[in-house]
Structure formats: structure tokens, C-alpha cells
Amino acid sequence: MSAPIVLYDTTLRDGTQREGLVLSLADKLKIARRLDEAGFPYVEGGWPGSNPKDIEFFAAARRQRWERAKLAAFGSTRHRANRPEADPNLRELVAAETPVVTIFGKSWLLHVTEVLGATPQENLDMIAESVAFIVDRGRECVYDAEHFFDGYRADRGYALATLRAAREAGAPTLVLCDTNGGTLTDELVAILGDVRASLEGDADAPAVVWGIHTHNDAELAVANSLAAVKAGVRHVQATINGYGERAGNANMVSILANLALKTGHELVPAGGGALSGLTELSRSVAEIANISPNDWQPYVGRSAFAHKGGVHGAAVAKVERSYQHIDPAVVGNVGRLVVSELGGRANTRIRAEQLGHQLEGVIDPKVLSELIKTLESEGLAFEGAEASFELLIRRHQADYVAPFRILDYTCLVEQRAGRELLAEATVKVQVDGEVLHTAADGNGPVTALDAALRKALRAFYPQLDGVQLYDYKVRILDGESATAARTRVVIDSSDGTLEWSTMGSDTNIIAASAAALADALEDAVWKSGAEPRPRA
């Protein structure tokens, strides 16, 4: 039986090179802990020779217990002018006290001569002496052959010589890096095959584990990683969610799911908990990194198993796997039917049931589907505002009574020289047979309208004080109409536990905002299950 595929995570080092991604020391420790809990055997923590934060990370990591992961410190070969024992970078790598050290060296003569300013032989000596320095100090050494595929194309013999230098110095793992991310899959496999045949054919040479490290500049990072595994690679480097410089790295989430679900390879981390927790891992790392999760990410995205087309929805309602390549629950995700003008009655009925609403005796699914298509033609979009979809159903119930009703409102915005912008709103609202007239100001008309409406409703529904409007999106639907264009507004709300989205559409942005705002607060009332409380 072939050796297992070992997954080496480099989110905390290579992933942090993504533009806009900044991790604090606490963030890095949290992510490292999550990766350890998920069973990753290698977690690359950073480059201690490059910045103080990574030195602090390894110092903090030494005080923690790691159940499964071996931490790796990352760094370069020695400077061409230094002896290994005097090289600050190598000294910091050893001082990190990690069981694994990953050294990268130059494979491409362009970098050797024009970037490092070294001779080809000097670079080979730098690789060999740096690897030996790490190995002699009892560390497991992973050698990353940077720019290997570019270097192979430029000078095959020299690229192979760099690998031999690392192997002969004691590196047990040799990783071929597609650093510029531009190698096509067929070429990558051919080069990998030639490399293995060349080095494994050397007489009396020590055996090595072959690794792969790909970038996504040609959108082939995952495909290239999987092809490399098929060609004999047993060590795969990647980052959670594909975070990384430029177009990113290979996506560890997709690699893990593909290998576990679609190949017969033994995998470390194995399936089981690592697989069932994959969606949560992906989203928690995104949350810690303060990056919005990619809803369309394969396997773990919110829309990865969402079905919008009516034909798809009807089929999935009968046989779930008819339009899904795996059961989403296997990776901790869920399937969804999207309510929209493209969906049919099956989408509408099943999505209503998923949200806890039975349509029987309320409204015929076909009628509701047609109503949705009509409303979406007028600018609404229920697929992004499920709370408004729920309210649409609720308002067709025979016993529906609105918890409040806005009778009229006014919004004024005033800008005078030497004064800050002032927005004021007045609202007349009816609650439980009583009409209240309130006013409030804010830094904009929607904020003022929200404040005025809450002021009126607070006496009857005090639970609305806990509701926050945390996002506000505006979309111009027919830009050719310029300032007369129809506008759709979506408001995202939360009570600290639940989140929901509502919408409004109008040629007047304030009217669209008022509709979305009213729906947000009405849905909050229904979610709390409260009856209006009489005013004192």
C-alpha cells in the first residue's frame, strides 16, 4: 500500500501574504489551534527571521500543548556572505525550537545570479550548508525548491542539481514549488516525472518524500496539486481558503475534500472529523482573518449546494443527489433551495418548509411562485432577503395582523455653511390601535428614520432595543435611467443570536430603505414571539 498523503498547512505564513490579510499574534495562535484540532500534521507558523511577530508566535507556541500538529518555522538558505553558524536567519530558525524547519532555496538561475548576486556554485553550497545546519541540530528539514518549474525550463540540469544538494545534505522531503503559479497541469506532471526518474535513479542516493507547493495564478493550483499526488507526490502544501499572494495559493479545503472523497488515498489528516468540520474550519479562519467568506467556494461556500433554477429545485426535491456531486453534510455544509424568479413551485414550497412555514391552507405554491416572479420583475430579490420571503408568506395567513403599520413619514436633510450635515425624520405609526407621532435625527436619513421608528415602537416592543442593523446595501437596477433609476436596498439585521436580511425596491432610495427597515423590525418582532405590550 502506498504511503499516506500528508497535508502541510502554510496559512500562517504564505497565506498572510494575501493583500489585505493581517493577523495579530492572537489571531495566529487561534488559527494554529484550529488547525491542530482539525488534525493537520504540519502547521507552518511563520518566518522568525523576517519579523518580530513571528518570533513572538513561536515563543508563545512553545508554551502550548499541540495534540497533532508539528509546528514548522520557515526561512531561507544562508546569505551568500555568511557561514551557517553566523547567519541570523538560520540562527532564528533554530531558536524557534520547532520540530520542523522548512528551508527554501533558489532553483532558477535568474534568481541566483540577478537577485541573490551569487554564482551557481555558491547557491548550491548555500543550499547544502543550510540544510545540513538544520539537520545537524536535530530538526526535520523540509526543503522548498522555490521557482522550481521556471528554473527547470531555463536550465534542467541546474534545477536538478539544487535538489541533489538538498537531498545529500539530509533533507528528507523535497518540495517542488510553482512559485509564479503559471505552469499548466500536463507540463507539471511531465516535469515531476522526469525529476523523480532522474533523482531516484542515482546510485545509493537516500530516498526522499516528494512534495508540491502551487500558486493559483493560472487557476490551476488545486488541479496541479491533485495531479502531482497522482504522479507520486506524498506531501502537499496549501492554505485554508487558498489565501496567498497575488491570485492565492492552492486551496487546502478543496484539496482535502477531493482527496478524501474522490480518491482511495490514505490521508493525514484523515476524513472523519477533519472532513465533517471542513465548512466550520473554512469559515472560522475567514472570520479570524476578518475576510468575508466566499459564498461560492466549492464544498464549503454558502452557495456551494444552493439550487436556484426551477428544474434543479424540482429534481433535488425528489432525489437530492440528482444535482449535487456529494452530500453537503459530509463536509459540514447544507443544501438550499433559492427562492427567485427562476425557481418553480417546488423551490418555493420546500424553501418555505425549511424556514418553518407550511403553505397548505395559506397560499398555493404556484400562486406564490408567480407572485415572487412579479415582485422580482419590479426590483425585489428574495434570494438575498429570506426574511422578506417569510413575511410574504406570513402576510397571506388568514390570521395575520401586522404588529405595526407606518402611516406616513418625512425625511429632511439639511446642509448649511459652517455646520455638519443634519438629517431628521418624523414617523406616524399605528400600533395596537394607537397612533404615535415621533421624530429623531441622525447622521443620514435612513439612520434618522430608524431612530424615529424605534422611538415609537419601543414602548410596545422593548426587545427591538437589542436589534442592530449591521449592513446596508444599495443596488441601482437600471443605471440607464440615471437619477430616476429603480433602487434595491437590502438591510442585514441581528439580535446577537440570529441574523436576517430584508429588502425594499423603489425609484426613491428613501422609500426603498423605509420598506426594508420596516420589514427588518417586523421580522424581529415575529422572531421574538412577543405580543405588543400596553404602554404604561
Side-chain angles (χ1 to χ4, degrees):
M1 185 174 181
S2 63
I5 312 302
V6 175
L7 300 183
Y8 176 112
D9 186 272
T10 180
T11 304
L12 299 178
R13 200 275 306 173
D14 220 4
T16 59
Q17 296 191 60
R18 168 176 165 145
E19 184 177 8
L21 195 162
V22 179
L23 297 177
S24 67
L25 174 60
D27 292 336
K28 293 190 69 164
L29 289 168
K30 285 179 186 176
I31 292 174
R33 177 62 61 196
R34 289 290 296 106
L35 293 169
D36 180 49
E37 291 169 353
F40 283 90
Y42 292 92
V43 173
E44 190 174 87
W47 186 341
S50 68
N51 65 86
K53 186 195 300 178
D54 283 356
I55 294 175
E56 292 174 10
F57 168 82
F58 289 112
R62 287 196 294 273
R63 298 190 292 269
Q64 298 194 26
R65 178 188 176 100
W66 302 96
E67 298 295 334
R68 302 172 182 85
K70 290 193 288 187
L71 291 187
F74 176 90
S76 68
T77 55
R78 67 167 174 81
H79 189 276
R80 63 183 177 85
N82 294 337
R83 298 303 305 156
E85 58 274 9
D87 188 77
N89 170 67
L90 293 181
R91 292 171 65 175
E92 288 290 356
L93 288 173
V94 172
E97 297 184 19
T98 56
V100 181
V101 172
T102 298
I103 291 280
F104 79 91
K106 300 296 185 181
S107 309
W108 190 3
L109 278 172
L110 171 73
H111 277 256
V112 173
T113 59
E114 297 188 29
V115 177
L116 295 183
T119 67
Q121 184 58 50
E122 281 178 326
N123 182 57
L124 295 177
D125 293 340
M126 289 157 59
I127 294 170
E129 293 176 9
S130 299
V131 169
F133 180 83
I134 297 301
V135 172
D136 289 348
R137 282 150 184 80
R139 308 300 198 273
E140 177 185 346
C141 184
V142 175
Y143 178 70
D144 278 9
E146 188 188 44
H147 289 107
F148 183 81
F149 295 93
D150 294 302
Y152 178 98
R153 283 188 287 265
D155 190 321
R156 172 184 175 275
Y158 187 76
L160 293 176
T162 64
L163 295 178
R164 289 189 172 100
R167 181 185 63 182
E168 291 166 9
T173 302
L174 302 181
V175 182
L176 308 187
C177 303
D178 188 24
T179 310
N180 283 352
T183 305
L184 298 183
T185 306
D186 288 348
E187 183 184 19
L188 181 140
V189 170
I191 292 173
L192 179 58
D194 178 53
V195 169
R196 290 192 62 199
S198 298
L199 270 75
E200 291 173 2
D202 292 345
D204 300 322
V208 296
V209 175
W210 293 101
I212 192 71
H213 178 115
T214 60
H215 285 250
N216 203 38
D217 298 74
E219 205 165 7
L220 290 170
V222 170
N224 283 351
S225 298
L226 296 176
V229 167
K230 189 174 182 180
V233 157
R234 291 297 176 265
H235 171 110
V236 180
Q237 298 186 359
T239 65
I240 300 299
N241 300 328
Y243 296 149
E245 194 172 32
R246 305 184 311 275
N249 284 42
N251 188 337
M252 181 67 83
V253 174
S254 297
I255 289 171
L256 192 158
N258 280 317
L259 289 174
L261 295 172
K262 298 180 181 269
T263 76
H265 291 294
E266 183 184 352
L267 190 64
V268 183
L275 199 57
S276 63
L278 203 54
T279 297
E280 194 276 332
L281 174 64
S282 167
R283 295 177 187 177
S284 66
V285 170
E287 179 66 27
I288 294 168
N290 197 27
I291 292 176
S292 297
N294 177 3
D295 284 348
W296 297 271
Q297 185 171 324
Y299 288 106
V300 297
R302 183 172 178 270
S303 298
F305 301 97
H307 306 282
K308 182 174 178 178
V311 172
H312 292 210
V316 169
K318 296 175 182 177
V319 183
E320 191 171 2
R321 62 189 177 90
S322 60
Y323 276 94
Q324 293 181 167
H325 69 119
I326 65 161
D327 176 0
V330 172
V331 292
N333 207 344
V334 295
R336 293 188 304 117
L337 290 177
V338 178
V339 176
S340 79
E341 62 184 351
L342 300 182
R345 71 184 79 175
N347 280 43
T348 304
R349 176 183 58 78
I350 295 171
R351 188 59 187 142
E353 291 173 354
Q354 289 176 337
L355 294 170
H357 299 281
Q358 295 295 325
L359 298 184
E360 186 176 354
V362 177
I363 184 172
D364 183 272
K366 182 177 181 180
V367 174
L368 181 58
S369 179
E370 291 300 321
L371 176 60
I372 287 169
K373 291 178 181 181
T374 299
L375 292 173
E376 292 209 349
S377 72
E378 296 172 359
L380 299 179
F382 289 93
E383 65 179 279
E386 289 186 339
S388 289
F389 172 61
E390 290 189 79
L391 288 172
L392 184 65
I393 297 171
R394 192 181 293 277
R395 287 165 182 164
H396 280 83
Q397 295 173 346
D399 59 350
Y400 170 79
V401 177
F404 62 86
R405 189 161 65 93
I406 298 177
L407 302 178
D408 53 51
Y409 61 87
T410 302
C411 289
L412 299 174
V413 178
E414 180 181 333
Q415 174 69 70
R416 293 179 181 270
R419 293 175 56 183
E420 293 183 357
L421 185 74
L422 174 66
E424 183 178 356
T426 61
V427 176
K428 188 181 292 184
V429 60
Q430 185 178 55
V431 185
D432 200 26
E434 184 175 351
V435 175
L436 300 100
H437 197 177
T438 58
D441 55 23
N443 59 8
V446 179
T447 305
L449 188 60
D450 178 35
L453 185 55
R454 287 170 185 264
K455 185 184 292 187
L457 297 177
R458 183 173 293 117
F460 294 92
Y461 303 107
Q463 66 270 28
L464 292 181
D465 284 342
V467 175
Q468 300 293 324
L469 311 182
Y470 68 86
D471 202 0
Y472 174 85
K473 307 181 189 75
V474 177
R475 172 114 181 248
I476 304 301
L477 302 179
D478 48 348
E480 293 181 357
S481 299
T483 55
R486 178 167 284 276
T487 300
R488 178 166 63 239
V489 168
V490 176
I491 289 178
D492 294 329
S493 308
S494 174
D495 62 3
T497 302
L498 301 174
E499 296 180 355
W500 60 96
S501 299
T502 53
M503 63 177 167
S505 178
D506 201 278
T507 54
N508 184 300
I509 191 172
I510 301 302
S513 301
L517 175 62
D519 274 10
L521 296 179
E522 179 175 344
D523 195 65
V525 170
W526 292 118
K527 280 180 167 58
S528 70
E531 296 291 331
R533 188 175 73 180
R535 291 205 299 168

